[in-house]
Each structure stands twice: as C-alpha cells, then as structure tokens.
Amino acid sequence: MNPHYDGFLADHYTWMFGAPYPALVAEQLDALRRAGVAEPTGTGLAVDLGCGSGFQSVALAEMGYRTVLAVDSSAKLLAELELHASDHPAIRVVHDDLSQVAANLPAGTAELAVCMGDTLTHLPDRRAVTQLFVDLFAALAPGGRLVLSFRDLTTSLTGTSRFIPVHADADSILTCFLEYEPDVVTVHDLLHQRGAQQGWTLSASSYRKLRIAPEWVTDQLTEAGFRDVGQAPAPRRMTLVTGTRQR
C-alpha cells in the first residue's frame, strides 16, 4: 500500500487531471503512438508499471495488446481501473510493487513495457531505477520496446513559484508545494474542499520524488543494453524516453 495514494490522493486522482476519463485515455494513446508504439506484432504482452487508474492500460488494450498487466500498489486506483476495464478483458490488474513485478517477469516475454505518468520518480532511489531498467531489458522479447514518461525536477523552483495549482472546481482546490533536497523533492499536496455545513476544510499529505534528468535516464538505458534510445516532450510538462531491445 502507498499511504499517500490510498490514504489521500486516490480519491481525487482522476479528477485532478481536469478531463473526462475517455479524454485522458485518448491523450495517452496519442503519446504512445508518438513514441512509436504500434499494434502488437509479437507476444502481445504489454506491462503497465504504475498504471494508476489505468489511462495507459486502457489505451494499450484499445491498440490490440492481448494481455495488459496493469501494475500498481494502490488498491483504490486499481479498483477504479477495473470499473473502466469492463469492456477490455485483456487488462489484468496486479496489486503489487512495480519493481517486484518487473524483477519476476519471465525472460523475453513482453512485447512492450511502459512506466508513465511520472511513476519513475516514485522509486526509492537511483539504484532502484537502474535495476528496473535491467529487469525490464531481460523481460522484453527481442525487438521489444520500453516507454517512459516522467517530470524533470532537477531545476529547483524558488519562492512562490514552488506553489503549483493542480486543479480546481467549485468545491475543491488542489495545490502542491515543493521542497527541494539534493536528490529528492518533497511534494506537499494541499486539498481545500467546500462542505455543506462547515465551509472550507484543508487536508494535506506529502510524498517524495526523485530528481532525475532525462539525460541520466537515457544513459542508464543505454548501459542496461537498450538501443535507439531517444527523448521527446510528453503531455503535461513531462519528458518521454524510449528504448528498444535489439533483435
């Protein structure tokens, strides 16, 4: 269980993106296609690590992947995904730590692995990131692809720029505040909600994210054996990084 997500953010996760669920799936489908992901031609197995409520998982099922392993440590987010996956029998939810799942995937079986939506920065340290790349290289079949998207937090914001509005409507306002350390940034999520009787109330929770640069990620992928490694802009101010296990 992820205390921040299951205890605080999961109830508001999809809402905070500010768009209907089908539009969020379409956004990720477009990102995957721009990353060079096409309809499956090999094993048909895709692994979505840190799937959240499933925008990428549903997109991959719509692309024709025969099995989509949707992995997340949040039971609440996986329950939401299951509601949206009723028309997609290819999706299999896995309630587990993504690093453990990656380490135990049978060698050479996955046609595609994705770790998107800033999931990568939630890993505990850089060593865990590099080990994930090694494990995914082993799990991918020859010609298999890896797609990452994450936010570059290596540049420190200062002053009031550290307060970032996330999403708001008439009854809820979600803001985050960033505190920087050399290797991590602590994200404080602040949620104001309007109650029928009590007026506005504040709830808050914090979690840490790694500060990893796209150039460092591409170097680690290359060291793990990936080829054709590249990067490009991704939706919502993220960076898209891709790599291929050569045949």
Side-chain angles (χ1 to χ4, degrees):
M1 172 181 171
N2 183 317
H4 176 74
Y5 276 84
D6 267 3
F8 178 80
L9 196 59
D11 292 333
H12 317 285
Y13 181 82
T14 299
W15 166 84
M16 75 179 186
F17 286 88
Y21 193 95
L24 296 170
V25 171
E27 178 182 270
Q28 294 307 306
L29 183 59
D30 179 67
L32 288 164
R33 286 174 171 159
R34 287 191 285 109
V37 177
E39 295 180 357
T41 59
T43 68
L45 170 62
V47 183
D48 183 4
L49 298 172
C51 63
S53 57
F55 314 144
Q56 291 87 20
S57 296
V58 174
L60 291 168
E62 291 183 353
M63 293 181 77
Y65 282 86
R66 292 187 292 277
T67 302
V68 180
L69 295 184
V71 183
D72 205 279
S73 61
S74 170
K76 285 186 177 181
L77 291 177
L78 289 176
E80 182 180 350
L81 167 56
E82 287 184 306
L83 294 175
H84 293 286
S86 58
D87 294 331
H88 300 288
I91 297 176
R92 291 171 45 198
V93 301
V94 180
H95 183 210
D96 204 344
D97 176 80
L98 67 88
S99 295
Q100 292 296 318
V101 172
N104 289 289
L105 289 169
T109 57
E111 184 170 351
L112 175 70
V114 304
C115 186
M116 302 177 71
D118 213 22
T119 297
L120 199 63
T121 63
H122 288 264
L123 293 179
D125 52 39
R126 292 185 177 215
R127 182 180 301 177
V129 176
T130 57
Q131 185 61 52
L132 178 67
F133 296 162
V134 170
D135 292 337
L136 290 176
F137 183 85
L140 286 167
R145 299 267 291 166
L146 173 63
V147 180
L148 311 168
S149 68
F150 60 96
R151 189 164 285 118
D152 181 358
L153 300 170
T154 55
T155 299
S156 298
L157 301 177
T158 60
T160 57
S161 63
R162 295 177 294 163
F163 290 85
I164 300 173
V166 178
H167 187 56
D169 60 23
D171 297 309
S172 300
I173 303 170
L174 180 61
T175 305
C176 71
F177 168 70
L178 307 181
E179 285 188 297
Y180 293 91
E181 300 175 46
D183 296 323
V184 300
V185 57
T186 300
V187 181
H188 303 275
D189 281 335
L190 311 173
L191 179 66
H192 288 84
Q193 293 178 292
R194 189 203 304 269
Q197 304 296 330
Q198 301 174 331
W200 289 92
T201 61
L202 170 66
S203 55
S205 182
S206 301
Y207 63 106
R208 304 174 89 194
K209 285 186 174 183
L210 291 176
R211 304 178 70 182
I212 49 177
E215 294 75 18
W216 181 84
V217 170
T218 58
D219 287 346
Q220 298 307 304
L221 288 177
T222 301
E223 288 190 20
F226 287 93
R227 297 295 178 263
D228 300 326
V229 176
Q231 60 174 285
R236 301 180 184 273
R237 304 185 305 279
M238 295 193 192
T239 299
L240 188 74
V241 176
T242 58
T244 303
R245 175 169 181 169
Q246 298 286 19
R247 297 185 182 276

